[in-house]
Amino acid sequence: MAPTSMLLATYDRYGPPEVLSVTTGPVPRPRPGEILVRVRAVSVNGGELAMRAGRLRPFSGRRFPKRVGIDLVGEVVAPETGRFAAGDLVWGALGRRMGSAAEYVAVRAELLDHVPAGLDAVQAAALPAGTTAITALRDLAALAPGERLLVRGATGGVGYVAVQLGKAMGAHVTGLAGAANLDLVRELGADEAIDYRAPGNLGRFDVILDTVGTGLPAFRRLLGRRGRMVAIAFDPGRPVSSLGYIAAHAPRRRRWVRFFSGNPTASLFAELGRWVAAGAIRPQVDRVFPLADVAAAHRALEQGGVRGKIVIEVP
């Protein structure tokens, strides 16, 4: 049986990582269709940083306190269902809300799936963003064997999975990353690892996965005649114009650009699990922080140069 109170990460104003604190609150009661999960680990995502810093106020509003955490790995507490039993290790996401950086969360059952065998909670927490890579490359861009794929931000939380997935799908993969991380880009299987600060002549690409959000017009010019760009980020300094540029080029038949924000369900997590079980995708954990150091975890991601995912472990 779960306790009545728990620890959770919140902030009561916009600002730097130091606005984050760990406080106490009531353990949620699952509503019909929800599963109560004892959280063991979550990852830190770029959207959370922009939200916390106040760069997305048109979307996030001014009501406080706010919570952080999008995805989660944890153990099922209750209720037992046809799919889940108490103690099962599951992974998932909260949908269009935040708050998984806590000891307990109530999650709709259709947003959860079992963690693949062989992964512990921290390793598994480095992978949920891979559902974004699957949606971007398979469903939106329809990446085909032999095509040229450029992954911008190739060692970030989505990018490092996209490099592996692109190779598994038979593409020729070029990864852009900082000079210090080019070794990891190669280890992930990229055919080319290039310093984004001095890229030189990159040539043309069939598909570009953009995880950065800035300078989109320059990268769109790298697309071939039938090229497709999927952007999972926009320029937080100019959100309106950035999204406006994407919208203006989305309807085009050639060299189109599309933006999406992931909202994965159980079937997508199951698909990710199959890629992991097949050995095509492996986790890459940059650093692990305890929940008490959530501010330090946010600061580490803001400093850049990450190699995979920054994970928060919930004791």
Side-chain angles (χ1 to χ4, degrees):
M1 181 176 294
T4 57
S5 65
M6 65 174 185
L7 297 174
L8 67 157
T10 67
Y11 57 102
D12 58 10
R13 66 188 186 282
Y14 293 123
E18 287 72 25
V19 301
L20 288 164
S21 64
V22 176
T23 184
T24 59
V27 171
R29 292 184 178 182
R31 293 176 289 187
E34 290 185 334
I35 303 292
L36 183 65
V37 178
R38 173 58 168 94
V39 179
R40 293 302 180 186
V42 302
S43 74
V44 182
N45 296 278
E48 299 174 77
L49 272 58
M51 190 84 73
R52 187 219 67 232
R55 293 196 292 269
L56 301 178
R57 296 186 194 197
F59 311 103
S60 58
R62 299 180 178 274
R63 295 184 62 181
F64 294 98
K66 297 185 184 298
R67 298 176 59 176
V68 295
I70 297 171
D71 52 52
L72 68 132
V73 176
E75 297 149 0
V76 171
V77 176
E80 296 197 30
T81 68
R83 291 181 59 215
F84 302 115
D88 284 356
L89 188 64
V90 296
W91 59 4
L94 296 186
R96 300 295 187 187
R97 63 187 176 97
M98 295 190 186
S100 62
E103 289 185 300
Y104 292 88
V105 293
V107 189
R108 299 201 316 273
E110 66 266 23
L111 301 180
L112 295 172
D113 197 56
H114 292 91
V115 169
L119 294 181
D120 61 29
V122 168
Q123 292 171 324
L127 286 167
T131 59
T132 298
I134 292 172
T135 302
L137 298 184
R138 184 194 65 186
D139 300 336
L140 296 181
L143 180 68
E147 288 194 311
R148 285 176 51 82
L149 167 67
L150 175 66
V151 179
R152 189 180 178 206
T155 60
V158 174
Y160 93 87
V161 178
V163 169
Q164 298 177 81
L165 181 62
K167 285 302 298 178
M169 294 175 70
H172 179 283
V173 180
T174 299
L176 287 181
N181 288 346
L182 296 182
D183 61 330
L184 176 58
V185 179
R186 298 185 189 96
E187 289 172 17
L188 294 169
D191 299 282
E192 296 177 286
I194 298 175
D195 184 353
Y196 76 90
R197 294 184 181 88
N201 183 8
L202 291 170
R204 298 286 182 177
F205 296 91
D206 301 291
V207 175
I208 296 175
L209 176 58
D210 185 274
T211 72
V212 181
T214 59
L216 293 182
F219 282 91
R220 180 176 174 269
R221 287 193 287 272
L222 300 180
L223 289 173
R225 190 163 177 264
R226 297 185 180 276
R228 297 90 72 194
M229 184 193 307
V230 180
I232 65 166
F234 55 86
D235 187 345
R238 301 184 303 163
V240 175
S241 61
S242 179
L243 289 172
Y245 176 83
I246 295 171
H249 293 87
R252 294 174 181 264
R253 292 186 178 183
R254 298 183 176 91
R255 300 189 182 97
W256 56 251
V257 183
R258 293 181 185 173
F259 171 82
F260 87 102
S261 177
N263 187 21
T265 59
S267 61
L268 200 50
F269 278 101
E271 174 70 11
L272 175 63
R274 287 191 287 272
W275 285 107
V276 173
I281 294 174
R282 62 175 176 84
Q284 176 69 34
V285 179
D286 181 295
R287 277 164 284 178
V288 182
F289 294 84
L291 180 62
D293 290 341
V294 60
H298 273 230
R299 190 179 308 110
L301 183 56
E302 283 189 345
Q303 289 171 347
V306 297
R307 297 169 63 89
K309 266 293 186 181
I310 292 174
V311 175
I312 296 173
E313 191 169 21
V314 185

